[in-house]
C-alpha cells in the first residue's frame, strides 16, 4: 500500500484503497475505503480473516463483514458461473449491510456469454434496487504480461503451468484497457457509476498519524 501510495502521489493519480474477499459461502466482494474510518474497519476485517485461518490464507463469513466493515463501499462481484437463482438473496443481504453504499459489479471479459450476463445483471439491478458499475478484474497492466500471470498462478498452486488447468484465466482480458475500448464494451451508465464511486473515495495514507494514548497522571485519577 505504501509503494502504491507513493507511486500515485508521484504521478498525480488518485489511489483508491480496497480489498477483494471471497467469503465462505463463495460470495465475492470488493470493499473500498472512502475515508479514514472505513480504512480502519477494512484493516480490522483483514486482521480477523487472517486470524481465523492458517498462515497465508483467510476465512471470513458474512457476519464478519457486517460486524467489521459496514462503513466501506461494497461492490458485489457475481460470477457468470453461478446460478442466478441465488442472486436475489445476496442482493438483499448486501443492501441491508451496506445501505446506499453497495453496487453490482459487471465484469465483461470477452467471454462467450457476456451479453446474456449483462442483461441478467441489468434486470437484477432493476429488481433489487442496486446500481450497476463497470469492473475489469484487472490482474496485469498489459496483455503481454499474461504468461507471467499464468506462471504466478502455477507457483501459488505448486504445480507446472501446463497442469494448472482451469485455475488459469481463459484469455488475457484482465489487463488495463483503454477508455475508448471500455466505452465500446460497457454501457455509458456503468462507466459513469465508476466515476461516482471514485469521487466518493477521499482516503489517503497521508491522513494517518499515530495517536499516542493519554498518559495517566498521578493525582488526576
Amino acid at each position: 500500500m505504501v509503494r502504491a501510495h507513493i507511486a500515485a502521489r508521484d504521478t498525480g493519480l488518485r489511489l483508491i484503497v480496497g480489498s477483494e474477499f471471497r467469503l465462505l459461502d463463495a460470495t465475492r466482494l470488493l470493499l473500498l475505503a472512502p475515508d479514514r474510518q472505513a480504512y480502519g474497519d477494512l484493516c480490522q476485517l483483514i486482521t480477523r480473516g487472517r486470524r481465523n485461518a492458517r498462515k497465508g490464507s483467510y476465512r471470513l463469513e458474512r457476519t464478519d463483514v457486517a460486524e467489521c466493515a459496514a462503513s466501506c463501499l461494497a461492490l458485489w462481484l457475481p460470477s457468470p458461473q453461478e446460478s442466478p437463482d441465488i442472486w436475489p438473496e445476496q442482493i438483499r443481504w448486501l443492501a441491508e449491510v451496506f445501505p446506499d453504499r453497495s453496487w453490482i459489479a459487471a465484469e465483461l471479459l470477452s467471454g462467450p456469454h457476456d451479453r446474456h450476463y449483462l442483461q441478467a445483471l441489468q434486470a437484477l439491478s432493476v429488481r433489487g434496487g442496486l446500481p450497476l458499475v463497470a469492473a475489469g478484474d484487472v490482474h496485469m497492466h498489459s496483455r503481454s504480461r499474461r504468461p507471467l500471470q499464468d506462471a504466478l498462478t502455477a507457483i501459488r498452486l505448486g504445480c507446472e503451468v501446463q497442469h494448472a488447468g482451469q485455475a488459469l484465466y481463459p484469455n488475457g482480458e484482465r489487463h488495463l484497457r483503454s477508455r475508448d475500448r471500455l466505452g465500446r464494451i460497457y454501457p455509458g451508465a456503468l462507466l459513469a457509476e465508476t466515476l461516482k464511486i471514485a469521487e466518493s473515495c477521499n482516503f489517503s495514507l497521508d491522513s494517518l498519524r499515530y495517536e499516542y494514548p493519554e498518559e495517566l497522571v498521578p493525582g488526576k485519577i
Side-chain angles (χ1 to χ4, degrees):
M1 275 304 309
V2 173
R3 286 185 295 171
H5 169 70
I6 294 173
R9 185 180 60 192
D10 292 345
T11 55
L13 294 175
R14 176 185 296 185
L15 178 64
I16 299 177
V17 178
S19 187
E20 182 180 326
F21 302 89
R22 183 180 294 273
L23 308 184
L24 289 180
D25 64 358
T27 299
R28 286 177 63 218
L29 291 175
L30 175 60
L31 300 182
L32 305 178
D35 52 34
R36 182 177 177 179
Q37 174 63 46
Y39 176 75
D41 292 346
L42 182 61
C43 292
Q44 183 181 9
L45 179 65
I46 293 173
T47 299
R48 178 181 291 195
R50 293 297 190 187
R51 287 177 174 173
N52 288 343
R54 66 181 185 277
K55 186 176 181 179
S57 61
Y58 69 94
R59 179 186 176 92
L60 289 171
E61 300 182 16
R62 289 187 181 184
T63 53
D64 297 314
V65 174
E67 292 173 3
C68 294
S71 63
C72 295
L73 306 183
L75 278 65
W76 171 52
L77 304 161
S79 170
Q81 285 73 46
E82 292 177 333
S83 170
D85 294 338
I86 68 174
W87 288 354
E89 187 275 332
Q90 291 176 315
I91 284 288
R92 288 191 293 270
W93 173 77
L94 197 69
E96 179 181 343
V97 176
F98 302 96
D100 302 321
R101 297 188 305 278
S102 53
W103 289 262
I104 304 170
E107 297 177 331
L108 304 182
L109 302 164
S110 298
H113 307 295
D114 275 4
R115 179 176 298 181
H116 175 74
Y117 175 59
L118 177 59
Q119 291 174 345
L121 292 184
Q122 288 172 327
L124 181 66
S125 175
V126 172
R127 292 197 307 270
L130 292 184
L132 268 179
V133 63
D137 194 26
V138 173
H139 285 256
M140 61 200 99
H141 75 284
S142 169
R143 186 195 299 272
S144 64
R145 288 293 188 173
R146 185 184 176 190
L148 176 59
Q149 170 68 31
D150 291 348
L152 291 174
T153 300
I155 291 172
R156 174 170 55 84
L157 297 175
C159 66
E160 298 179 355
V161 172
Q162 59 265 35
H163 297 143
Q166 294 186 355
L168 303 179
Y169 294 122
N171 59 36
E173 286 299 303
R174 288 170 171 80
H175 66 94
L176 291 173
R177 295 172 284 186
S178 69
R179 286 180 292 181
D180 288 342
R181 181 140 187 258
L182 291 174
R184 295 192 296 270
I185 296 173
Y186 290 95
L190 274 67
L191 295 173
E193 204 67 31
T194 66
L195 300 180
K196 178 181 176 181
I197 293 173
E199 290 170 357
S200 66
C201 292
N202 299 309
F203 171 74
S204 169
L205 289 184
D206 286 334
S207 67
L208 297 182
R209 299 289 186 274
Y210 186 84
E211 297 177 358
Y212 292 91
E214 293 185 5
E215 296 182 358
L216 295 179
V217 180
K220 292 188 177 181
I221 301 178

